[in-house]
């Protein structure tokens, strides 16, 4: 709480208040979230980039699928190894 209140010393009070209100509306009233919102309010970067239309040559030929059996095999310890 003190850290958030001390932000008024470095930033405009209305901007800090707006960041706190946004954090409360989002349901995440943490110092980190307030700082993140504050920096986004101070230095807004354009996030609306134009859509990218990739060429057909970059399309996947085979669809990827999860192989969970591989991970089960990795988790099973067949023999204990000692670090040397």
């Amino acid at each position: 709480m003190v850290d958030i209140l001390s932000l008024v010393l470095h930033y405009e009070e209305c901007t800090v208040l707006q960041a706190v209100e946004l954090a409360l509306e989002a349901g995440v009233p943490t110092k980190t979230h307030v700082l993140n919102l504050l920096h986004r309010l101070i230095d807004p970067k354009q996030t609306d980039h134009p859509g990218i239309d990739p060429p057909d040559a970059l399309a996947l030929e085979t669809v990827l699928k999860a192989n969970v059996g591989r991970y089960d095999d990795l988790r099973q310890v067949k023999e204990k190894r000692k670090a040397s």
Side-chain angles (χ1 to χ4, degrees), residues 35-53:
L35 282 172
N36 187 359
L37 292 170
L38 182 63
H39 289 293
R40 288 182 184 198
L41 290 171
I42 292 170
D43 186 23
K45 302 212 185 231
Q46 182 182 5
T47 57
D48 298 331
H49 300 292
I52 298 174
D53 188 22

Side-chain angles (χ1 to χ4, degrees), residues 10-42:
H10 304 286
Y11 305 102
E12 294 182 19
E13 180 182 352
C14 61
T15 309
V16 173
L17 183 60
Q18 186 179 3
V20 170
E21 288 173 352
L22 288 171
L24 289 173
E25 287 174 8
V28 189
T30 62
K31 174 186 165 186
T32 307
H33 192 63
V34 170
L35 282 172
N36 187 359
L37 292 170
L38 182 63
H39 289 293
R40 288 182 184 198
L41 290 171
I42 292 170

